[in-house]
């Protein structure tokens, strides 16, 4: 299956995207390095995820999907710029297509301009400005893309 094992053939040779299960022990450190604020979701052990690992098994990033919504998406900052986010998004899109989903959605903090640019580069568009009460933020954007 394409979405089970995906190799990046650019600058990050040897990186594998695989299915995993989110756990505080393994994934929280990546989130803490990637998020300068408290995450609103994805704190529960046992969440299914797609994760990027290197040949030594080092976790480099992950994405959690709930139906067609990106619940949590983090790349360890030391691996940003290595196409890992693009690969995780591609594998998530393939998984969604296989399930019959026509769109994918997410919310991003207004102050996270690099993430907004990344998502726009990958076909996402802002559908509305949001102020979700469950976040520790001051507004953001709901974004969607076709799968």
């Amino acid at each position: 299956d394409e979405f089970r094992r995906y190799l990046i053939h650019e600058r990050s040779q040897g990186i594998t995207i695989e299915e995993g299960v989110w756990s505080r022990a393994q994934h929280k450190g990546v989130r803490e390095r990637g998020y300068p604020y408290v995450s609103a979701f994805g704190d529960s052990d046992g969440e299914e995820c797609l994760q990027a690992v290197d040949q030594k098994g080092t976790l480099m990033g992950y994405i959690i999907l709930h139906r067609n919504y990106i619940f949590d998406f983090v790349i360890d900052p030391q691996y940003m710029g290595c196409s890992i986010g693009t690969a995780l998004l591609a594998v998530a899109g393939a998984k969604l297509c296989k399930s019959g989903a026509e769109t994918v959605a997410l919310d991003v903090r207004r102050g996270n301009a690099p993430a907004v640019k990344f998502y726009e580069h990958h076909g996402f568009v802002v559908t509305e400005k949001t102020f979700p009460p469950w976040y520790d933020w001051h507004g953001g954007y709901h974004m969607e893309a076709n799968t």
Side-chain angles (χ1 to χ4, degrees):
D1 277 329
E2 177 184 359
F3 67 88
R4 286 184 182 263
R5 307 291 286 181
Y6 184 87
L7 296 178
I8 303 170
H9 295 289
E10 295 179 9
R11 292 185 295 165
S12 345
Q13 299 233 348
I15 307 307
T16 302
I17 306 298
E18 61 187 18
E19 290 184 322
V21 177
W22 196 92
S23 70
R24 281 185 178 86
Q26 183 179 13
H27 295 80
K28 192 172 181 183
V30 172
R31 176 187 290 146
E32 288 173 350
R33 288 186 296 279
Y35 280 10
Y37 37 76
V38 177
S39 173
F41 298 112
D43 283 329
S44 300
D45 285 343
E47 296 280 350
E48 291 182 11
C49 66
L50 295 169
Q51 57 191 24
V53 295
D54 67 11
Q55 293 172 335
K56 297 176 186 174
T58 303
L59 180 66
M60 305 167 89
Y62 67 88
I63 189 169
I64 298 174
L65 292 170
H66 281 257
R67 295 187 182 96
N68 70 327
Y69 184 79
I70 295 175
F71 204 56
D72 198 9
F73 188 9
V74 182
I75 306 301
D76 191 314
Q78 66 183 325
Y79 302 112
M80 287 182 179
C82 297
S83 301
I84 293 167
T86 297
L88 280 165
L89 203 53
V91 174
K95 184 174 184 173
L96 289 171
C97 281
K98 192 171 187 175
S99 74
E102 294 181 8
T103 61
V104 60
L106 57 85
D107 288 287
V108 63
R109 287 168 169 83
R110 179 180 61 196
N112 195 348
V116 172
K117 285 180 114 176
F118 172 83
Y119 295 129
E120 288 175 337
H121 177 77
H122 290 88
F124 283 81
V125 295
V126 173
T127 58
E128 66 179 302
K129 292 182 180 177
T130 60
F131 296 88
W134 59 86
Y135 270 128
D136 64 336
W137 56 337
H138 304 289
Y141 307 104
H142 183 78
M143 301 182 80
E144 295 183 8
N146 294 326
T147 54

